[in-house]
Structures are given as structure tokens and as C-alpha cells.
Amino acid sequence: MDGLRVLQGDAIRVFNEGIGLVLSRWSALQTAVENEWGGRDSKLKAHQLADDVLSWFTISKEPRYIDDLEAILDEGMLSLNVEVEDGSVEEVAENLMVMHEECLEGNFRSIEILKEANLKQAAHPRVAQIVNDDEDEDEDDDNDENIIGASNSSNMDVDIPKSESDMNSVNRPVNGTLPKVAAEADDEWTVVSNRRNKGRKN
């Protein structure tokens, strides 16, 4: 057991930060926390998982096997009511084991890379969201034009409540006489009120 290497001094602090970075990128964990699948204290449970991982690496005097780390990660996810079957537990465990080995050698490069990636991600999510929203709107506009073009027909039927029509039929052509609840717009479109609005005063 004398051959078991342990982290010393600042390496523990940096490794702890690395654990947080790896766990913050684990989508299964983050989704569980954001949606509070583990209850109102889901965030605390995620922090506890990070603490348990750090303790396993730094306090345990037993040899470290990846299966044991996977069990800790599984237990942490189960505390959040999540059973992970996508292979991400194994991937996270492997990343943590490699990071630990690097930290033992004084190599903190992988943690620095994660920090840089998080900074870039934090600096650009809003811009990316706006760009995505604009693209979605453009696509929606194109789809709306296609739908409008396909449905712009004088044979379109409109439901008219029986009490507002002298006709016995429920359907009638749009280009016919419109009931009082409808208003004609400048572009020759007709706005018809919803049945749910009938009887309500605006």
C-alpha cells in the first residue's frame, strides 16, 4: 500500500476544480439538476457527488479501480432518480481517472483545456441562441409562405356558429357574406373570432 500515490497541496485544489468541470459537462447530471429530478436539493446532491469523488481519490487508502468510481457515479445519479444507461458513467469515470493520473504527475493541461472550453461556452451561448432563433424564424417564415400559398383558396370553409347564421349549414365559403364577428383586414384576409370568445366582451 506504500506505492499508492496521493495528490498533495495545490494539486488537490486544481483536481477538485477539474472534477467540477467534468461533472458540469455531463449532460445527464446537469439535466437532472436543472429539472430537479432528485427533488429541491438536486443541486446539493450534485455537489455531494463531486465531494464523494474527490474523497475517493484523496482520502481512500485502497487501490483505485475504475469500477469503484463508476459505482460512486451511479449512486450519485440514483440519488437524483436517474439510472444512466448511455455509457456516460463509464466515460466520466475514465476522464476522471486520466485527469487524476495527470495531476499526480503535475500535468494540469486537461483541466486548463476544460476551463478554456467553459469560458468560451459561457461567452457565446446567448449569441448562439439568438442566431438559432433567427434561423428558426427564417425557416418558419418559409414554411408559412408555403402553407399560405397552398391554402389560399376561395373554397376554404369556415365554421360559423349556428346562432349567427341564417343558414342551416355550418360551413360556407369565405368569399360569401361574413358574420358580424369577423373583421376584414387591409390585405383581404378575414379575421374570424374563436368560438371560445363568443359571448365575451373585450
Side-chain angles (χ1 to χ4, degrees), residues 1-184:
M1 299 284 168
D2 293 333
L4 188 67
R5 298 184 303 165
V6 293
L7 294 172
Q8 302 291 324
D10 273 350
I12 294 173
R13 181 190 55 77
V14 174
F15 181 62
N16 186 36
E17 186 177 2
I19 292 170
L21 290 167
V22 169
L23 294 181
S24 73
R25 298 176 68 88
W26 188 10
S27 60
L29 176 62
Q30 294 311 310
T31 301
V33 171
E34 288 169 11
N35 293 305
E36 295 185 339
W37 291 344
R40 290 184 179 173
D41 60 345
S42 293
K43 195 170 190 174
L44 290 174
K45 290 178 181 179
H47 288 297
Q48 183 60 51
L49 175 59
D51 290 344
D52 291 346
V53 169
L54 180 65
S55 295
W56 183 77
F57 276 109
T58 58
I59 296 174
S60 175
K61 302 296 182 201
E62 300 294 319
R64 296 176 195 94
Y65 297 105
I66 196 166
D67 294 342
D68 296 333
L69 179 55
E70 290 172 5
I72 291 169
L73 295 171
D74 269 330
E75 287 175 29
M77 293 303 287
L78 287 174
S79 74
L80 293 165
N81 297 316
V82 178
E83 187 171 352
V84 182
E85 296 177 350
D86 63 355
S88 62
V89 168
E90 293 81 6
E91 183 180 342
V92 169
E94 183 177 347
N95 288 340
L96 291 170
M97 292 291 280
V98 169
M99 185 182 295
H100 180 256
E101 286 299 314
E102 290 173 351
C103 287
L104 285 172
E105 296 167 3
N107 177 2
F108 306 113
R109 184 68 189 136
S110 61
I111 296 171
E112 292 300 320
I113 291 170
L114 285 174
K115 279 186 200 179
E116 290 170 13
N118 273 6
L119 287 175
K120 287 178 184 176
Q121 184 180 6
H124 299 298
R126 184 171 225 181
V127 173
Q129 183 65 38
I130 292 170
V131 169
N132 288 340
D133 286 346
D134 288 345
E135 289 173 7
D136 291 345
E137 287 175 12
D138 291 343
E139 290 173 12
D140 290 346
D141 290 345
D142 293 343
N143 290 340
D144 290 346
E145 288 172 8
N146 293 338
I147 292 169
I148 291 169
S151 65
N152 191 7
S153 168
S154 62
N155 294 330
M156 185 169 67
D157 291 335
V158 177
D159 290 339
I160 301 173
K162 189 173 182 178
S163 63
E164 295 183 20
S165 172
D166 294 331
M167 300 174 63
N168 289 336
S169 172
V170 179
N171 297 324
R172 63 189 244 190
V174 170
N175 60 0
T177 308
L178 297 173
K180 291 181 182 179
V181 293
E184 194 166 316

